[in-house]
Amino acid sequence: MKIKNKVAILLALSMMVSMGNAVAANAEELDKEFPILTEESSFDEAAEVGSIEQFRGAVTEDLLIDHSGIALTATVDSYEPNNYPNVATNGRYNKMTYGTIHEARDVDYYKIEVIDASKPISIFLTRIPAGCDYDLFLIQYDSVKGEITKAYYDHQTGSTPETLYGTVEEGTYYVVVQGNQDVQNNFSSTNYALYIGDYYKTDYFGYVSTGLKISFGNIPVGNETPVYRGWYTYDLTNAKDIPDDATVTDLYLTGGGNGAHWIGFYKMVAAAGQGLQLQDALGQVDLMYKGGGVLKVKQQWLIGGHILASSNFVWEPQILMGYRYAAVPANMKYLV
């Protein structure tokens, strides 16, 4: 079943209250507020970055290959000598690499193996030293013929980051960093930053307290009509430590509180900005959602619950979110 994002209706907006202020609602009203995400819903997301073929260039004579075999001295670059495909640096996939272009004829080669042509990759060169203009290439090289067979690049001027995103055919590739040959004195002992790796990265937020203390009061045993408490707002809209485009892969909400006795306690969570509610989960079950590509992390979340019996139970939920985001220069700080 395909889930369509909808704007929460006015009833839902009227129930987005500040932390600590309870709003009562009956089951019929709650059911009308949001489309509900069910376990049968599909959240598979195809990559939207396309193919790196869009960056393909003619085999270029501008790319440096140092055949001399002479190791260039670089006290700040532990990957030297890597000036030729046969001595390229290995093992830097899904890692940040800090290297230098420290002489006019210096060039740095990094070897990668692409084993899944359907899986998009990110390659970006940032932190180009001030006053320098470095170029980024992705190439295939025929060592028998001693020639470049494919070259991809999207060159920018000066210290503007250079980026390649998308898919390529399976095979051996070399990521190459060098100074623009038309710029004089285009080298530095200051490190550049290079990322070669998966287009999508994962991280998590939590467990953290929501700051909520949701009191269900005294509800006698034998009550058959669920008593609702909610919604309460937990706002991640401006969370600085979460990438802007992050989407939820897992969402957990604890059911702990003051230890008072309860019967039939269920938790509820809704993504207010997208008008989507997750299925109810029993109080002892922390997992509220598992999927990908649908729920944005940085938005207002609504938290509520319902219960059959309570001896003054106070719910103090903590939240954890696993998330996924695209690896791009803007969120490079998350990859360091």
Side-chain angles (χ1 to χ4, degrees), residues 78-334:
S78 61
Y79 305 110
E80 291 290 359
N82 59 350
N83 302 341
Y84 183 69
N86 288 353
V87 292
T89 300
N90 286 306
R92 302 308 302 166
Y93 199 82
N94 273 339
K95 299 176 182 178
M96 292 301 303
T97 297
Y98 300 97
T100 61
I101 300 299
H102 51 274
E103 293 187 12
R105 63 191 180 95
D106 188 18
V107 55
D108 294 342
Y109 279 76
Y110 301 90
K111 182 180 179 181
I112 62 171
E113 298 288 344
V114 176
I115 59 175
D116 185 351
S118 67
K119 188 176 181 181
I121 61 176
S122 291
I123 306 170
F124 51 78
L125 174 66
T126 63
R127 297 189 183 180
I128 298 172
C132 294
D133 182 355
Y134 294 171
D135 288 337
L136 173 70
F137 298 84
L138 176 67
I139 69 166
Q140 284 192 302
Y141 181 78
D142 187 328
S143 59
V144 176
K145 296 181 179 179
E147 62 184 34
I148 299 167
T149 57
K150 283 186 180 179
Y152 306 97
Y153 49 89
D154 184 30
H155 293 164
Q156 304 297 318
T157 302
S159 59
T160 301
E162 303 210 343
T163 60
L164 298 171
Y165 304 102
T167 58
V168 291
E169 296 177 355
E170 296 176 4
T172 299
Y173 291 82
Y174 298 90
V175 175
V176 186
V177 179
Q178 69 173 51
N180 184 320
Q181 297 302 288
D182 294 330
V183 179
Q184 296 295 315
N185 299 316
N186 193 18
F187 53 90
S188 172
S189 60
T190 301
N191 286 328
Y192 60 75
L194 176 68
Y195 174 74
I196 311 166
D198 295 335
Y199 180 73
Y200 291 116
K201 304 297 291 182
T202 58
D203 208 335
Y204 70 93
F205 170 81
Y207 277 104
V208 295
S209 172
T210 61
L212 298 173
K213 296 181 183 294
I214 303 173
S215 177
F216 286 91
N218 184 30
I219 306 168
V221 176
N223 173 57
E224 297 181 354
T225 303
V227 176
Y228 284 80
R229 294 288 186 267
W231 297 97
Y232 299 81
T233 300
Y234 182 66
D235 195 353
L236 289 178
T237 304
N238 297 312
K240 294 180 179 179
D241 293 331
I242 301 174
D244 290 341
D245 63 346
T247 58
V248 180
T249 57
D250 307 87
L251 190 152
Y252 296 83
L253 192 68
T254 62
N258 65 349
H261 178 70
W262 55 261
I263 297 174
F265 168 45
Y266 280 81
K267 304 170 296 186
M268 303 181 302
V269 177
Q274 295 178 259
L276 294 172
Q277 180 179 332
L278 282 64
Q279 254 186 330
D280 293 2
L282 187 64
Q284 296 104 326
V285 179
D286 289 354
L287 181 63
M288 302 292 291
Y289 167 78
K290 190 173 184 65
V294 173
L295 299 179
K296 303 295 184 183
V297 178
K298 297 182 73 168
Q299 63 176 306
Q300 283 192 335
W301 294 89
L302 303 184
I303 297 174
H306 56 89
I307 206 166
L308 287 178
S310 163
S311 57
N312 294 304
F313 171 59
V314 178
W315 178 28
E316 301 175 3
Q318 292 188 327
I319 195 168
L320 179 148
M321 291 188 187
Y323 58 81
R324 183 176 77 163
Y325 62 99
V328 296
N331 59 39
M332 176 180 158
K333 65 181 180 180
Y334 300 101

